[in-house]
Amino acid sequence: MSETTQPPQRKIIHIDMDAFYASVEQRDNPDLRGKPIVVGGSPEGRGGVVATASYEARQFGVRSAMPSKTALQLCPGLIFVYPRFAAYKEVSRGIREIFRRHTELIEPLSLDEAYLDVTTDKLNIGSAIAIAQQIRQAIRDELNLTASAGVSVNKFVAKIASAMQKPDGLTFIAPAQVPGFMEQLPVDKFFGVGKVTAEKMHKMGLHTGAHLKALTEDELTRHFGKVGRFYYNVVRGIDNRKVEPYRETKSQGAEDTFAHDLTTLEEMNAALAKIALVVHERLQKSQLKGRTLTLKIKYHDFKQITRNKSWLAPVGDLASITLAAQQLLAATDTTHKKIRLLGITLSNFGEAAPKPRKGFNPEQLELF
Ligand code: TTP
Ligand code: MG
């Protein structure tokens, strides 16, 4: 690749709602505003952990994932609120709609958090800082909530930046600042998860990005495995992970092209039973059930037809899938035409929940 084909420097925004569940509760119930509240857990302090705390409660040291009992000890007047997930999902849809005004390159990490790539933006605003401000303003005006934003050249820096001036803040780390920013970063912050890794680093005398930068790529991979290479790059401000939009699974299926064309109904039914097994397994993995089954038939002359069956309630069990496919097949002309391919697809899933991808786990990353 010649130097002139270098892609432009990316503009990445990370947006994260402030005290998300708690803020939604305070928005919807004026009695809770300005007060220390938590969502989740139990007021008797008998059990359970809190999901999140309002910023008023955080002043007492109350935090996410803290046992209710501890939270109550820190803040005796603490108000416990039962979660309303439907309301949080609704807000989540709302913020995504706002993001979509500027880009389709949106990667949600959870209900309240997403990366946006605005290297090019729909409204030609050009400035990632201006876009982030407009998004924050729209969230305030239209949803009556606040969000914090981090703006920089890659995902890693943008995510850390968004937490730096919470709540209701925007932090921009300019390209020229990125190397210095990474060098001063404490390793624990740096690696988000990995308490164990952070401890290991501390024991090795590694406390900041600068310490990591002093190690060679070989040394880093020797001590930390494959992810060492990620560390090597990211500490130099290099994080080429793309913003990958979450795409909802619209259909799930499998098909088989046969070595010899099938001529008898018996063979065809046996082939469908095998394909149904694969489809069933895939549906189970993605935890989906479909209301429509489509059978695809390709004949030896390459002509292709499809037949559908729909149910009122979603279907995902092997027997129903196999039977429906075989019934659809039986209703076609199977006596005069040889078949070279059969396929089964399930679709019409309704609303599928996005896979939880909360947090940053470098162990699971595709490394450059
Ligand atoms: P976060 O964005 O981590 O936290 P937050 O939005 O409450 O606060 P802030 O970003 O201002 O620091 O998580 C978003 C929501 O996810 C949070 O409101 C509740 C839920 N959550 C849990 O249920 N358990 C947890 O351990 C965490 C961290 C979050
Ligand atoms: Mg948040």
Side-chain angles (χ1 to χ4, degrees):
M1 195 165 77
S2 77
E3 276 177 47
T4 51
T5 58
Q6 286 271 328
Q9 182 136 61
R10 292 185 303 156
K11 298 175 185 173
I12 308 294
I13 301 175
H14 179 259
I15 301 262
D16 190 318
M17 302 295 287
D18 301 319
F20 184 45
Y21 295 0
S23 301
V24 176
E25 296 307 329
Q26 289 180 321
R27 179 193 69 173
D28 294 349
N29 181 354
D31 290 346
L32 301 174
R33 288 182 203 158
K35 296 192 180 144
I37 73 159
V38 289
V39 175
S42 104
E44 292 80 29
R46 274 194 307 244
V49 297
V50 309
T52 196
S54 68
Y55 274 83
E56 294 85 353
R58 290 184 199 196
Q59 287 179 0
F60 294 85
V62 179
R63 296 282 180 273
S64 285
M66 183 177 273
S68 307
K69 201 175 159 188
T70 317
L72 209 48
Q73 279 165 357
L74 288 169
C75 178
L78 191 62
I79 301 167
F80 288 77
V81 182
Y82 201 75
R84 292 180 303 138
F85 293 107
Y88 314 145
K89 273 193 185 161
E90 179 62 33
V91 173
S92 190
R93 270 195 289 273
I95 61 173
R96 278 185 214 169
E97 210 171 276
I98 291 168
F99 299 159
R100 214 166 286 133
R101 294 171 194 165
H102 298 277
T103 178
E104 292 297 325
L105 285 177
I106 302 161
E107 180 179 343
L109 296 173
S110 68
L111 288 180
D112 88 319
E113 189 187 342
Y115 291 114
L116 281 65
D117 185 326
V118 293
T119 310
T120 59
D121 70 290
K122 287 185 186 173
L123 304 176
N124 288 320
I125 294 168
S127 156
I129 301 171
I131 294 168
Q133 285 296 31
Q134 285 195 14
I135 289 172
R136 281 169 16 84
Q137 192 62 42
I139 291 174
R140 179 194 304 280
D141 293 345
E142 298 167 35
L143 303 172
N144 285 310
L145 292 166
T146 64
S148 296
V151 179
S152 195
V153 296
N154 66 41
K155 282 172 145 184
F156 192 93
V157 178
K159 184 166 164 93
I160 293 172
S162 75
M164 287 172 64
Q165 296 187 68
K166 258 184 174 296
D168 200 14
L170 182 146
T171 306
F172 171 56
I173 308 291
Q177 296 174 304
V178 169
F181 177 81
M182 293 307 300
E183 282 173 18
Q184 58 77 41
L185 205 64
V187 290
D188 344 28
K189 260 244 169 119
F190 205 102
F191 300 105
V193 279
K195 247 193 180 163
V196 180
T197 309
E199 270 167 32
K200 183 172 170 183
M201 287 181 175
H202 289 160
K203 279 195 188 133
M204 291 168 67
L206 305 170
H207 299 283
T208 65
H211 294 144
L212 289 176
K213 206 171 181 176
L215 298 180
T216 65
E217 193 176 337
D218 272 359
E219 286 169 327
L220 282 167
T221 46
R222 209 172 332 121
H223 290 298
F224 305 108
K226 229 168 72 176
V227 74
R229 184 166 152 69
F230 179 76
Y231 298 161
Y232 180 84
N233 284 305
V234 85
V235 79
R236 285 166 177 75
I238 302 166
D239 172 10
N240 292 327
R241 286 175 299 150
K242 289 196 179 72
V243 171
E244 296 194 40
Y246 165 76
R247 297 196 198 288
E248 207 176 339
T249 311
K250 295 250 192 277
S251 68
Q252 194 74 268
E255 58 180 46
D256 201 359
T257 304
F258 310 111
H260 305 285
D261 294 344
L262 308 185
T263 53
T264 69
L265 189 58
E266 205 180 1
E267 288 178 302
M268 295 169 197
N269 279 336
L272 279 180
K274 269 197 204 163
I275 296 166
L277 268 175
V278 179
V279 176
H280 177 248
E281 195 178 308
R282 290 184 182 165
L283 286 170
Q284 286 213 311
K285 262 197 194 143
S286 47
Q287 296 192 317
L288 289 168
K289 288 179 176 185
R291 282 191 210 89
T292 302
L293 182 146
T294 304
L295 172 72
K296 174 166 139 188
I297 307 173
K298 204 186 264 181
Y299 298 104
H300 77 292
D301 60 1
F302 287 90
K303 281 212 177 99
Q304 184 180 305
I305 63 164
T306 57
R307 293 290 181 266
N308 299 305
K309 176 188 169 69
S310 287
W311 293 273
L312 282 174
V315 163
D317 68 286
L318 179 61
S320 303
I321 295 167
T322 311
L323 186 67
Q326 291 174 342
Q327 283 173 341
L328 287 172
L329 176 73
T332 67
D333 176 8
T334 54
T335 46
H336 298 97
K337 289 173 164 176
K338 294 188 233 169
I339 289 177
R340 70 185 317 267
L341 174 147
L342 286 169
I344 301 172
T345 303
L346 261 91
S347 58
N348 206 353
F349 297 130
E351 202 188 332
K355 282 191 199 128
R357 290 197 290 173
K358 180 98 198 160
F360 170 67
N361 183 355
E363 315 285 339
Q364 290 173 356
L365 294 176
E366 281 290 314
L367 298 175
F368 306 107

